[in-house]
Amino acid sequence: MRVPLSWLREYVDLPATETGRDVQAKLVAVGLEVETVEQTGAGLTGPLVVGQVLTIEELEGFKKPIRFCTVDVGTANGTGEPQEIVCGARNFAVGDKVVVVLPGAVLPGDFAIAARKTYGKTSHGMICSADELGMGDDGTHGIIVLPPEYEVGTDAIELLELRDEVLDIAVTPDRGYCLSMRGVARETAIAYGLPLRDPALLDVPAPNAYGYPVKVSDPIGCSRFTARTVTGLQPEARTPIWMQRRLQKAGMRPISLAVDVTNYVMLELGQPLHAYDRSRIDGPIGVRRAEQGEKLTTLDGAVRVLDSGDLVITDNRGPIGLAGVMGGADTEIADAAEGAHTAEVVIEAAHFDAISIARTARRHKLPSEASKRFERGVDPQAAAAAAQRTVDLLVLLAGGTAEAGVTEVSAPSAPRTITMPADHPDRVAGVAYGRETVVRRLQEVGCDVYGQDELLVTTPSWRPDLTEPNDLAEEVIRLEGYENLPSTLPTPPSGRGLTDRQRLHRRVGRALAGAGYVEALNYPFIGEAVLDQLGLEADDDRRRTVKLVNPLSDEEPSLRTTLLPGLLGALRRNDGRGSHDLALFETGLVFRPTGDETKPVRLPVDRRPSDLDIASLDAALPHQPRRAAVVLAGAREQAGWWGKGRPADWADSVEAARTIAREAGVEVTVRADRHAPWHPGRCAALYVTVAGEETLFGHAGELHPRVIKELHLPERTCAAEVDLDILQQAVDGVLRAPRISTFPVATQDVALVVGQDVPAAEVERALREGAGELLESLRLFDVFTGEQIGAGSKSLAYALRFRAADRTLTVDEASAARDAAVALAAERTGAVLRGA
């Protein structure tokens, strides 16, 4: 909600020295989120005046039409002589009043105006458009043509209210009343302790039998419908400048007088309205649910197929409007700019069901200013006042006549009352406010309060969010100031803290960050298309997804079954923006339905759910394992004066998985595998030992070239994804810190020749097992192929480190351990000691 400060001052007598920043601070203190304060006209300096076009000379010989004009600006130019100006616009004529900026002025954007020669003429200033003055879109995309009553030489900065401050307020769903000047003014008056001039306090005539006929067939969907009629609208009547400027500052485009008046009243009172051309309505107005498949052409020109849940406005022909969302084209107010004219209008001010309007707006993907207000809650008692305010403005500005008939169809309703102990806000906040403060604050909000120790509170019609004592307590607390609440840290009970799962999750994140990876948090949603791009088989478990009833995007309607789509999308975006050396990671849940889920129960809201209720809800949830994933592209080690760099490859992704496993104190077994979306020859299956059995806990390697092409990723992109829950199951007791031996290490190197198809991991596993307890670490430091080794073979060179905890090893002990390791490797893999 954009709130011009000059407009706000009409309802609250703010101190003259109060700035937009001051008002922002006050409103933030009472709980409104004021995002920005915009200074309109900032940097604008005159002279900027009203001028009258005296002559127009069409200049020829140029690529576009150019006009050389003389304009009377009075004495604003210091001489009283006509001002010569070159202009390319075509929407004005001789005799029109326009806005002229003279040499020496500065327009928004630090655009200084000076006399300059152009198109063979000297232009002494400029005839201005709305965009050039920072006024926003006025619908003409041309020069501002003013009404003829304004005198030549009048200061246009003041006339057009170009200097102002506009507060941009992010209105939360429970504060719908603040989508109006009336609501924001009420909060401002409370914040400053000043009286409010309520614009809804109008003399409204009582309903009678002479109004335009209305029939409401769905009183639940439409609890109130007020109709008023105004006739005799003058065709030459235009929206006054002050109203146009207020609409523009509030973010709306002026259209025509009748439409602008309804928009203006909506912004002022928060009640959406609609004006129908009475000559285009066939019979009584009706309100009903649409028939399935009915069609309606809305004001935006779109033909919409209606749903049986849509609430529509009708006449004898059928739907003429989508209730609370958008009107229909058949009864649209005629545009005077196109030569048409509407002389009689019927004003609709209704109250529609919030849920129904919200569903209709989302179903048709048609958010509007009206639906935004209805779905947050509109004051049902404001309809009559809004209709009266609209009638008054049309009579005043368009020369119309208000018909005596007043139609009001309303369903029976009673004000909401809440019983609350007077000290309830005290107990909620931990602050002794006292009864007097509680009553005063609730009355400021608009409540009627009775009682002593037990308060009977009648909530105002514009606050549908106040439904229980805690809501009233919140009002008292926010108006007294959240900053005044005492800050008291609770004392945690002993023995509580992070679970083992949470500790592992944090350690993994820190370890990957320490290894040079950057965490990327992605939305947990995917679509079928990305699963196709990953090359997953039709029977792959990752294709079995949980679909959302109301997804944020139709392209991603499902919960993710793997972390890779989000991470690869982040890598692609960063690579496209110039960051080519990337290493990203993410930890989070994936959602794997098993098919055994039950139908969820609807939990009670008036009491705590039972253990059985919670258990049945858990049974309806899919399996949600916690996973960690990394993606890499570009250089893993940068080149520099220290030497050559190194590109990321499949081994880095495997090492990332080992880094994760080390945080759990678990050894990883690596085997070659074929698993989408990885390259079949550069894919590693990762195993850990759980309860004595090897268990698959992830994959790592280089992505398949087809996947890289489909997802537009850098060449040789690598990735790894592991299951942290399985990793936690592999933890053997409490993770212990490594012991540091005081005895020296004995290092032995071995080079083994094996077949090309023998995985290095198999050789490493045999060496570890054969070396026994004395082996401290083992590292593959070289892989060699060539004529010296022979075709179909490769040489694997390992560094073995031996150490005893209680003594210094002898050469014979270290050699014996090495020989035992080589012997077992020869037995299991056919390895031969190189050079033997």
Side-chain angles (χ1 to χ4, degrees):
M1 177 68 186
R2 290 173 56 83
V3 179
L5 189 58
S6 59
W7 194 358
L8 186 62
R9 290 181 184 274
E10 280 200 6
Y11 313 116
V12 184
D13 290 325
L14 295 172
T17 57
E18 209 73 354
T19 67
R21 294 290 182 189
D22 298 330
V23 177
Q24 177 189 30
K26 287 284 190 179
L27 292 179
V28 168
V30 295
L32 288 183
E33 186 180 342
V34 184
E35 293 186 325
T36 59
V37 178
E38 179 184 332
Q39 306 283 338
T40 63
L44 173 65
T45 61
L48 186 73
V49 298
V50 175
Q52 184 171 23
V53 180
L54 299 178
T55 65
I56 298 177
E57 177 188 349
E58 300 288 347
L59 301 182
E60 298 179 353
F62 301 103
K63 292 183 178 179
K64 62 179 182 178
I66 299 297
R67 293 168 139 188
F68 180 63
C69 311
T70 58
V71 185
D72 179 10
V73 295
T75 60
N77 58 4
T79 66
E81 296 295 324
Q83 202 79 359
E84 296 179 340
I85 298 175
V86 176
C87 183
R90 312 289 296 174
N91 68 314
F92 65 96
V94 172
D96 282 346
K97 298 287 182 68
V98 294
V99 178
V100 180
V101 59
L102 300 177
V106 179
L107 296 184
D110 199 26
F111 180 35
I113 302 299
R116 66 187 183 95
K117 190 167 184 177
T118 178
Y119 298 102
K121 300 285 186 179
T122 300
S123 183
H124 298 272
M126 189 167 71
I127 303 175
C128 297
S129 68
D131 285 339
E132 289 163 342
L133 297 179
M135 294 170 56
D137 183 13
D138 63 355
T140 66
H141 302 290
I143 294 303
I144 301 171
V145 178
L146 299 172
E149 61 264 23
Y150 294 109
E151 293 186 9
V152 168
T154 302
D155 183 1
I157 293 178
E158 183 176 345
L159 174 66
L160 299 177
E161 302 177 12
L162 295 179
R163 292 199 183 104
D164 202 351
E165 294 181 276
V166 181
L167 285 71
D168 194 352
I169 302 174
V171 179
T172 53
D174 61 330
R175 306 287 285 280
Y177 66 97
C178 284
L179 287 171
S180 67
M181 294 300 303
R182 181 194 185 201
V184 176
R186 185 181 303 279
E187 292 295 317
T188 306
I190 294 172
Y192 279 90
L194 296 171
L196 168 71
R197 287 188 292 275
D198 191 344
L201 295 180
L202 302 173
D203 291 330
V204 180
N208 54 50
Y210 312 114
Y212 198 92
V214 174
K215 180 182 179 182
V216 177
S217 302
D218 188 342
I220 296 177
C222 177
S223 60
R224 184 180 297 267
F225 195 108
T226 300
R228 299 289 301 275
T229 304
V230 180
T231 61
L233 301 184
Q234 300 301 314
E236 69 276 5
R238 298 290 183 267
T239 305
I241 288 177
W242 63 267
M243 182 178 287
Q244 290 188 44
R245 291 298 296 128
R246 287 185 174 181
L247 290 173
Q248 288 172 330
K249 291 175 188 177
M252 303 190 77
R253 179 172 64 87
I255 299 173
S256 65
L257 178 56
V259 175
D260 292 346
V261 166
T262 59
N263 286 336
Y264 179 84
V265 175
M266 178 186 69
L267 292 172
E268 184 178 50
L269 302 182
Q271 168 67 54
L273 301 112
H274 189 69
Y276 300 92
D277 187 329
R278 188 166 77 165
S279 66
R280 304 174 72 177
I281 304 176
D282 182 8
I285 291 176
V287 184
R288 61 169 171 82
R289 297 290 172 177
E291 296 177 7
Q292 189 69 35
E294 269 189 306
K295 294 184 179 181
L296 168 68
T297 303
T298 47
L299 289 173
D300 58 358
V303 177
R304 304 188 182 276
V305 179
L306 304 179
D307 185 89
S308 59
D310 296 333
L311 196 66
V312 293
I313 310 298
T314 65
D315 64 4
N316 289 339
R317 296 167 298 179
I320 59 173
L322 204 52
V325 180
M326 185 174 285
D330 290 344
T331 55
E332 181 180 7
I333 298 295
D335 190 349
E338 298 177 358
H341 174 56
T342 294
E344 300 179 346
V345 297
V346 177
I347 306 300
E348 166 206 304
H351 184 266
F352 300 114
D353 176 61
I355 295 176
S356 176
I357 299 305
R359 287 175 176 169
T360 295
R362 284 159 177 75
R363 185 180 297 121
H364 294 281
K365 296 182 176 61
L366 190 60
S368 65
E369 291 292 332
S371 67
K372 181 167 67 174
R373 286 163 173 81
F374 276 123
E375 64 189 38
R376 285 165 171 79
V378 169
D379 182 2
Q381 303 299 325
Q388 181 63 44
R389 176 69 165 146
T390 305
V391 169
D392 292 344
L393 287 172
L394 288 176
V395 170
L396 175 66
L397 302 176
T401 301
E403 288 194 349
V406 177
T407 302
E408 184 165 307
V409 180
S410 60
S413 62
R416 181 186 291 113
T417 58
I418 302 172
T419 302
M420 178 185 76
D423 64 345
H424 182 66
D426 301 22
R427 290 185 283 112
V428 170
V431 177
Y433 293 123
R435 180 188 176 280
E436 289 186 4
T437 299
V438 171
V439 172
R440 174 171 58 84
R441 289 303 191 184
L442 292 179
Q443 288 174 339
E444 289 176 344
V445 168
C447 298
D448 292 328
V449 186
Y450 304 95
Q452 293 298 319
D453 294 338
E454 194 79 10
L455 301 180
L456 182 63
V457 181
T458 302
T459 61
S461 57
W462 59 85
R463 294 299 302 272
D465 58 305
L466 302 180
T467 59
E468 59 172 320
N470 284 335
D471 296 329
L472 301 178
E474 182 184 1
E475 292 300 299
V476 174
I477 295 167
R478 77 174 178 89
L479 295 180
E480 283 295 303
Y482 290 122
E483 70 277 7
N484 295 324
L485 292 177
S487 179
T488 305
L489 291 175
T491 303
S494 60
R496 301 284 179 88
L498 297 178
T499 64
D500 291 339
R501 189 183 193 219
Q502 291 169 330
R503 290 194 185 95
L504 177 60
H505 183 204
R506 291 194 177 188
R507 288 201 307 271
V508 166
R510 285 195 294 265
L512 290 174
Y517 291 84
V518 176
E519 186 170 18
L521 301 177
N522 300 290
Y523 284 118
F525 310 121
I526 60 172
E528 192 70 25
V530 76
L531 299 179
D532 295 336
Q533 291 169 330
L534 290 176
L536 304 188
E537 298 291 340
D539 59 349
D540 195 301
D541 286 343
R542 289 169 290 179
R543 282 191 176 274
R544 187 185 300 172
T545 60
V546 177
K547 286 187 168 54
L548 302 174
V549 174
N550 188 22
L552 292 178
S553 168
D554 292 339
E555 295 179 357
E556 295 181 331
S558 304
L559 292 174
R560 66 189 178 191
T561 55
T562 167
L563 298 180
L564 292 181
L567 270 180
L568 293 174
L571 184 139
R572 179 179 62 249
R573 285 191 298 274
N574 282 276
D575 180 71
R577 294 172 184 174
S579 297
H580 303 301
D581 303 324
L582 296 162
L584 308 178
F585 84 93
E586 181 177 11
T587 58
L589 301 178
V590 298
F591 306 87
R592 294 289 190 87
T594 62
D596 297 330
E597 292 82 10
T598 59
K599 185 177 180 180
V601 298
R602 186 178 294 276
L603 296 180
V605 295
D606 58 342
R607 56 182 172 80
R608 183 189 182 280
S610 67
D611 292 342
L612 184 60
D613 289 336
I614 296 174
S616 63
L617 188 63
D618 287 340
L621 298 176
H623 181 49
Q624 301 175 51
R626 183 174 294 279
R627 294 198 155 218
V630 303
V631 292
L632 307 98
R636 186 68 179 123
E637 295 177 4
Q638 296 291 332
W641 58 264
W642 52 84
K644 295 181 179 180
R646 180 179 66 81
D649 61 17
W650 64 268
D652 292 303
S653 62
V654 174
E655 182 57 29
R658 292 187 187 277
T659 300
I660 293 170
R662 275 196 292 271
E663 293 304 309
V666 174
E667 289 290 335
V668 176
T669 300
V670 180
R671 292 198 179 94
D673 198 7
R674 300 171 66 91
H675 187 71
W678 283 274
H679 189 299
R682 297 168 189 156
C683 173
L686 310 171
Y687 293 86
V688 293
T689 302
V690 177
E693 295 185 3
E694 276 194 352
T695 303
L696 179 71
F697 93 114
H699 288 85
E702 182 181 314
L703 295 181
H704 197 290
R706 279 199 301 270
V707 174
I708 291 174
K709 181 178 179 181
E710 287 286 335
L711 293 175
H712 307 289
L713 300 172
E715 292 184 2
R716 312 299 290 268
T717 296
C718 301
E721 184 173 15
V722 299
D723 191 320
L724 296 181
D725 288 346
I726 293 177
L727 184 64
Q728 186 182 356
Q729 296 171 20
V731 176
D732 185 16
V734 178
L735 184 63
R736 300 183 181 278
R739 293 183 58 185
I740 306 300
S741 174
T742 59
F743 295 99
V745 67
T747 303
Q748 297 272 356
D749 294 343
V750 294
L752 302 176
V753 178
V754 295
Q756 279 280 14
D757 59 340
V758 176
E762 295 290 340
V763 179
E764 179 179 329
R765 187 161 48 253
L767 289 173
R768 286 184 182 278
E769 187 176 338
E773 296 180 353
L774 295 179
L775 181 66
E776 182 179 81
S777 67
L778 181 149
R779 180 174 62 89
L780 176 66
F781 66 87
D782 184 53
V783 178
F784 177 76
T785 57
E787 295 180 0
Q788 301 92 324
I789 304 301
S793 299
K794 60 184 176 183
S795 170
L796 305 176
Y798 292 91
L800 288 73
R801 290 166 56 92
F802 298 98
R803 194 188 321 248
D806 56 351
R807 67 187 188 280
T808 300
L809 292 178
T810 65
V811 174
D812 291 341
E813 288 177 310
S815 298
R818 180 202 62 190
D819 293 342
V822 170
L824 189 57
E827 178 184 338
R828 291 188 177 175
T829 66
V832 177
L833 195 63
R834 186 175 174 184

